[in-house]
Structure formats: structure tokens, C-alpha cells
Amino acid sequence: MKTYQIVGIGNAVVDVISQCDDSFLDHMGIEKGIMQLIERDRGEVLYGAMEGRVQTPGGSVANTIAGAGALGIDAAFIGRVHDDALGRFYADAMNEDGVDFVNPPVPGGELPTSRSMIFVSPDGERSMNTYLGISSELSSADVPNEVAGQTQIMFLEGYLFDKDKGKTAFMEAARDCRKGGGKPGIAISDPFCVERHRADFLSLIENELEFVIGNEAEIRSLFETEDLEEALAKTAAICPLVVCTRSGDGVSVIAGETRIDVPVTKVVPVDATGAGDQFAAGFLFGLATGRDLETCAKIGNICAAEVISHIGPRPEKDMRAVLQAEGLL
């Protein structure tokens, strides 16, 4: 059985991107510039209305794993797709990107493959309409314990915490990972998800995980406080490694009694999609390759800066070359 340096578990979502004008958004009743969840029928209508569709494999943790894999570490992703055209596309595209897509598409799956219909306006605004589909049905049966138990780092996607079977899959995968000597951790993903499942989130972090990555709003939501410093201290008291991205204010990393604050060079984003995902890719690459925490954060910042310089949630440049030029590889 292959040993991986990083394995992610998350929503396997095909991003379907199309350009449109504002009158099209008005005509289709699409709210501009936000992400909204939609039902299957609405998804089929919007998908059918898209012209010049471009499809890419997406999903928050999937983007992180692809970014980490592109930096040169052995990476795998666990997600649930239907054995339909989009599901086969997703699996093939992840494999072609150098990330092992562990689960084959599910024949006769209960729902279609998840997709996010993204309409890009002439001003660069992205209006996202996401049908969660089969990916949110992930359960323990989708997580081979030999994969979970043979990885150095496991990265879980908070969005999957909305269903009991997702919670169970996370707990079992984290235990398998730790039993094999690996470090499991989570991307908090969404403060609203924390609000729905706060007690279970905190229990998982305290009892099963080795690290947490989140932004300011997500870290604050764990302990229902507007005081970030209080939230960081309380999170660090229950988790060995806490990483908080603070947008233009840099990154705070706390490991036990050690705290490191790493500044960022502010840039005006072309498209902020994927900034957190690619920060995590760079940080976890650094962690997997034995670099110190400050270097991990610096690598993460550079990966985030690259991805917000263009449209799309995955890097376009050779990030190993970029990091070498910065003296970080």
C-alpha cells in the first residue's frame, strides 16, 4: 500500500465556469457576487443555460491537495462522485493533476455529481450557484482505512460536517491516521458550519486532531467571541497547532507556548477565490517536508498571493520555481 505525504477528504465539486453579462444574471434570477446553494432542478436549468462552459475539478480541500501535489509531494484525495459524465471528468482530471483520486465514481450513485455553476461578469465578479449532490453523502465507507492509516498528514473539510455520517467518517479517519503515526487536521471552512455544530467541532478538535487552519471569522466562531486573541488562546489550549489567516494582516501560528506572526505583502486581488485553499496547500507542503513553522507560513502566503492574481482557484505558475526564487526551497 502506497504511503502518502498528504490525503484530503472533502467535497468533490466540478466548477463549471461561463461568462455572462448582468442582464443574463437578472434574467436567470442569479444574485450577483455571492455563493448560494441550489437544488438539483435549478442546477440543471442553470447548467443548460451556460454558454462556452469551462469545467475544472474543484472543492475547497481538493484545491488544497492539488496545490500541495503540484509542489511535488505524494497526494491523494477522497471524495464521492457519481459515475456520470461529470463524475468521470472529475476523477480523471484529479489523476491527471498528479493527485490520486482514491474512490472510483459510484455506479448508480444516489445523486448526481456535485457542481458549482460560476458566472463571471465583465467586471470580474463571480456569481456561484452550488448544487452539493452526491459529494455531501460521503461516509466511512468512502474512506479506506489503509489510505487514512498510511498518510503523513490528513486534511479534512469542515463543510462535510453537516451530516452525521460525515462526522463519523472524520472521526474514524482521524483515528486511523493517528494510529499510523500521521497528523490529522481540519479546515474550518465556514463560521456558519461551526455555529450549527459547535460542540461536535470542538470535541473533534480537542480529542482527535493535531492542527486547525481557519480565518479570523472561523476561529472566533469556535468560541463565540469577537475577540480574536481570546479565540486563538482557547483554540491553542485544546489543539497542538493553530493556524489563523488574517487577510492583509498576515498569519498567526500557535504551537504550544510558541507563537509566530508572519506578515504578508498586500496585493489587490483579481479573484480572491482559493486564497485560503492555496495558503493551506503551501503551509501543509512545508509541514510535510519538515520545514519550520515560519517557513511553512511564508510558503502558504506566496501560494495564496499567486492564486488571487488570476481567475480560478488553483495556481497557474510553477510554484516550485516561484518558491525557489524566493529562497524558500
Side-chain angles (χ1 to χ4, degrees):
M1 174 57 61
K2 182 173 180 178
T3 300
Y4 292 101
Q5 288 169 285
I6 189 166
V7 171
I9 305 178
N11 279 308
V13 182
V14 178
D15 287 340
V16 188
I17 303 168
S18 176
Q19 294 185 313
C20 71
D21 56 26
D22 288 356
S23 63
F24 175 87
L25 298 177
D26 291 341
H27 176 69
M28 298 302 293
I30 297 168
E31 194 168 342
K32 184 174 179 178
I34 68 162
M35 194 285 278
Q36 51 192 9
L37 295 177
I38 58 174
E39 297 299 322
R40 180 175 178 173
D41 290 350
R42 170 75 168 160
E44 289 173 356
V45 168
L46 292 180
Y47 185 77
M50 299 180 92
E51 292 185 4
R53 293 187 292 249
V54 175
Q55 295 178 174
T56 63
S60 175
V61 163
N63 289 334
T64 294
I65 300 304
L71 286 169
I73 58 176
D74 287 326
F77 180 69
I78 295 171
R80 190 170 175 84
V81 297
H82 187 109
D83 189 12
D84 53 17
L86 282 180
R88 291 187 291 273
F89 163 79
Y90 191 95
D92 290 345
M94 288 295 279
N95 287 323
E96 286 164 13
D97 282 346
V99 175
D100 287 356
F101 189 72
V102 173
N103 302 46
V106 181
E110 60 274 53
L111 293 168
T113 294
S114 309
R115 76 281 313 256
S116 183
M117 274 67 68
I118 302 169
F119 296 91
V120 182
S121 314
D123 59 3
E125 282 275 13
R126 290 157 67 89
S127 308
M128 305 172 74
N129 302 263
T130 303
Y131 167 60
L132 284 178
I134 196 174
S135 70
S136 61
E137 299 297 321
L138 184 135
S139 71
S140 298
D142 297 301
V143 185
N145 58 7
E146 64 271 19
V147 175
Q150 294 277 352
T151 183
Q152 193 177 333
I153 291 172
M154 172 167 285
F155 197 39
L156 308 172
E157 182 173 312
Y159 288 124
L160 283 176
F161 220 62
D162 265 329
K163 296 196 174 178
D164 285 343
K165 55 188 174 183
K167 292 178 186 177
T168 302
F170 276 9
M171 189 173 67
E172 292 178 1
R175 287 177 181 172
D176 286 339
C177 178
R178 290 174 78 185
K179 206 179 294 179
K183 290 182 186 298
I186 196 166
I188 299 176
S189 298
D190 187 332
F192 301 109
C193 191
V194 174
E195 285 170 19
R196 292 191 292 271
H197 310 282
R198 185 171 284 106
D200 287 339
F201 243 108
L202 289 172
S203 175
L204 182 76
I205 290 167
E206 182 169 11
N207 299 308
E208 310 293 349
L209 301 183
E210 300 289 328
F211 67 91
V212 171
I213 299 179
N215 63 27
E216 294 174 84
E218 293 159 358
I219 296 288
R220 287 198 306 260
S221 70
L222 286 173
F223 291 97
E224 298 181 270
T225 177
E226 288 302 306
D227 185 335
L228 178 63
E229 292 304 319
E230 178 190 354
L232 283 170
K234 288 183 173 179
T235 309
I238 64 169
C239 188
L241 176 61
V242 181
V243 185
C244 178
T245 57
R246 307 171 68 172
S247 192
D249 293 326
V251 179
S252 297
V253 182
I254 304 175
E257 299 297 312
T258 302
R259 173 168 175 162
I260 301 161
D261 293 293
V262 180
V264 294
T265 303
K266 294 187 181 182
V267 294
V268 178
V270 172
D271 173 13
T273 312
D277 301 341
Q278 294 310 317
F279 169 83
F283 187 90
L284 295 175
F285 162 79
L287 207 60
T289 52
R291 288 165 165 83
D292 64 84
L293 293 175
E294 184 174 3
T295 302
C296 291
K298 286 178 177 177
I299 293 172
N301 285 342
I302 288 171
C303 291
E306 191 280 338
V307 84
I308 65 175
S309 71
H310 57 76
I311 290 177
R314 297 189 178 184
E316 289 182 349
K317 293 180 182 173
D318 176 348
M319 291 310 298
R320 284 191 67 85
V322 173
L323 292 171
Q324 282 166 348
E326 294 285 342
L328 291 168
L329 280 190

